[in-house]
Amino acid sequence: MDSNNSDFDLIKRLTETPGIPGHEENIRVLIHNEVKEFCDEIIVDKLGNLICVKKGSKDKPKILLCAHMDTIGFMIKYIDSDGFLRIQPVGGIDPRITIGQPILIFHEENIVNGVIASKPIHLLEKKEREKVKKIDELHVDIGAKSKEDALEIISLGDFGVFNYSCKKLSHSVITSGGLDDRAGCMVLIKTLKELKDVETPNELYFIFSVQEEIGARGAITSAFNIDPDIGIVVEVAHGIDVPGLKKDKHGDISLGKGPAIDMGPNVNPKLFKYIIKKAENGNISFQLRVHGRATPTDLRHIQITHTGVSTALISVPLRYMHTTIEVMDLKDINRTVKLLIDVLSKLKKDINLKL
């Protein structure tokens, strides 16, 4: 199998494995099996974060790398007398994309198929056609004939996900749900594998964090426990190279042009310059992104752990975030991996990141 097919196989397995906030066990097992041969130690903490340790030749600086493994989803909050379900979002779900979506509901060891439904367009009143329905106005149809019938196969509190699949588009471009942030997970997995026979001057902690989509909870506890000197978060960045988005408002980030490297108050400026220099020296294409406030990522909490952490944010460009048809270029993932390897294999103990 060539590298392109190998990369597609990995991202397909990552994106199609469920794991909403608080229910990351399935994706955690998959990632654990992928990386167990490439770590010196693996820890699962009380919150469910997967912490993979690669010991270096020196104990400082201690470096944390983080990508969250949870994705958006929902929970069953109500079952009516006719067996139709109501759902509550877990994470940021756009109600515009929910109608007509097939879903999977996870009940104990079973998977139940369903569809998120609404009135047919033929039966809508004029006013109804002009507004977007809220998620709590929609219902889920699992084919049940009554509440009692539904309760035989599902329960209140069961979690669910959209039933999407990862597909190839043209060239190295793919589409899937869940690329936020399974793309970041793939970057960390590939980086760990590439570093197997590389002696790094630092102790590395690869964190596959939980519950980012509801407040970066996993990053808070794992960073507190590890108390790193440096923290690098691998995320996704909005691709602005589509109709309807203004680059002068949202920034100039495109697919196929390499990772986006953030600058702003959440990012240590000396670490930022160090990463830029490594990208330039390695002829790795990259893009710049400005964040004038705390980033909506795990980084915002890692930075203020204990007495403070020198942090950086590197993101893979992604179109249509938090939909079932997110679009990404696998070349950007591999450029991000190369950049991380250059940074990690050469980052010395005496680097001065004090501000």
Side-chain angles (χ1 to χ4, degrees):
M1 179 181 290
D2 61 33
S3 60
N4 287 336
N5 286 332
S6 177
D7 284 347
F8 179 73
D9 173 71
L10 177 57
I11 196 64
K12 183 175 177 65
R13 287 186 289 117
L14 286 169
T15 55
E16 293 180 6
T17 300
I20 74 166
H23 293 276
E24 296 94 348
E25 52 274 11
N26 290 321
I27 187 63
R28 184 170 54 244
V29 169
L30 187 154
I31 295 173
H32 183 284
N33 290 336
E34 282 290 324
V35 302
K36 61 185 179 182
E37 298 179 16
F38 306 95
C39 309
D40 297 307
E41 183 181 7
I42 295 182
I43 303 163
V44 178
D45 68 14
K46 292 179 181 178
L47 209 61
N49 296 296
L50 182 67
I51 304 171
C52 306
V53 185
K54 179 174 170 55
K55 296 179 179 179
S57 56
K58 299 177 182 179
D59 61 351
K60 292 287 185 178
K62 189 187 294 183
I63 303 176
L64 178 154
L65 299 106
C66 183
H68 70 88
M69 56 183 173
D70 61 308
T71 60
I72 59 173
F74 50 84
M75 298 177 70
I76 305 304
K77 71 171 185 178
Y78 180 74
I79 308 168
D80 70 21
S81 59
D82 295 318
F84 295 108
L85 319 179
R86 307 298 188 274
I87 57 176
Q88 179 172 319
V90 182
I93 295 180
D94 185 346
R96 297 175 304 166
I97 64 119
T98 56
I99 296 177
Q101 291 283 358
I103 63 170
L104 300 174
I105 301 168
F106 295 84
H107 175 72
E108 298 177 352
E109 301 299 321
N110 301 316
I111 300 175
V112 177
N113 284 289
V115 292
I116 300 177
S118 184
K119 292 181 185 178
I121 190 171
H122 319 71
L123 305 181
L124 292 176
E125 302 292 338
K126 183 179 180 180
K127 289 183 179 180
E128 291 179 304
R129 296 189 186 194
E130 296 172 350
K131 72 171 187 175
V132 176
K133 278 189 173 291
K134 298 177 181 179
I135 290 179
D136 59 13
E137 295 178 307
L138 305 175
H139 64 270
V140 173
D141 192 337
I142 59 171
K145 300 183 183 302
S146 64
K147 181 176 182 177
E148 293 72 24
D149 191 25
L151 285 170
E152 291 184 6
I153 55 174
I154 60 98
S155 297
L156 284 178
D158 285 346
F159 81 92
V161 296
F162 295 115
N163 186 8
Y164 49 73
S165 61
C166 186
K167 301 180 181 68
K168 294 180 181 180
L169 299 180
S170 299
H171 309 291
S172 53
V173 178
I174 62 168
T175 181
S176 179
L179 286 167
D180 174 14
D181 187 29
R182 301 295 169 76
C185 293
M186 180 171 172
V187 168
L188 294 194
I189 291 169
K190 293 196 67 173
T191 301
L192 256 173
K193 291 180 178 181
E194 292 288 336
L195 288 173
K196 180 182 180 182
D197 299 318
V198 177
E199 183 177 350
T200 57
N202 320 286
E203 190 159 85
L204 306 178
Y205 292 80
F206 289 75
I207 311 299
F208 300 90
S209 66
V210 298
Q211 299 192 35
E212 189 272 350
E213 295 291 358
I214 59 168
R217 296 168 182 268
I220 296 172
T221 58
S222 57
F224 183 87
N225 181 40
I226 293 165
D227 191 15
D229 301 289
I230 294 172
I232 301 174
V233 169
V234 181
E235 257 285 3
V236 290
H238 289 291
I240 311 302
D241 54 340
V242 296
L245 293 178
K246 295 181 178 181
K247 294 181 179 180
D248 61 349
K249 180 179 181 180
H250 301 291
D252 189 1
I253 304 297
S254 300
L255 266 63
K257 295 184 178 181
I261 304 174
D262 264 62
M263 60 182 85
N266 249 182
V267 174
N268 180 289
K270 292 184 177 180
L271 182 57
F272 168 79
K273 290 179 181 178
Y274 177 84
I275 293 171
I276 293 296
K277 184 177 180 180
K278 292 303 175 187
E280 292 173 342
N281 291 346
N283 293 316
I284 302 168
S285 59
F286 64 92
Q287 306 172 78
L288 296 177
R289 186 170 67 153
V290 176
H291 251 119
R293 60 199 305 177
T295 69
T297 70
D298 283 334
L299 191 75
R300 69 188 186 272
H301 293 296
I302 294 172
Q303 183 192 36
I304 55 176
T305 299
H306 286 287
T307 58
V309 179
S310 299
T311 49
L313 177 59
I314 303 174
S315 303
V316 183
L318 178 71
R319 295 173 183 161
Y320 323 123
M321 196 180 299
H322 280 206
T323 72
T324 58
I325 46 89
E326 296 170 336
V327 171
M328 176 174 286
D329 193 332
L330 289 174
K331 288 182 180 179
D332 289 327
I333 286 182
N334 289 321
R335 290 181 180 120
T336 309
V337 172
K338 186 177 187 302
L339 177 57
L340 277 184
I341 291 169
D342 284 356
V343 168
L344 297 174
S345 61
K346 299 168 185 175
L347 215 166
K348 302 298 183 183
K349 178 179 180 179
D350 58 358
I351 185 172
N352 179 17
L353 299 177
K354 291 184 179 180
L355 303 178

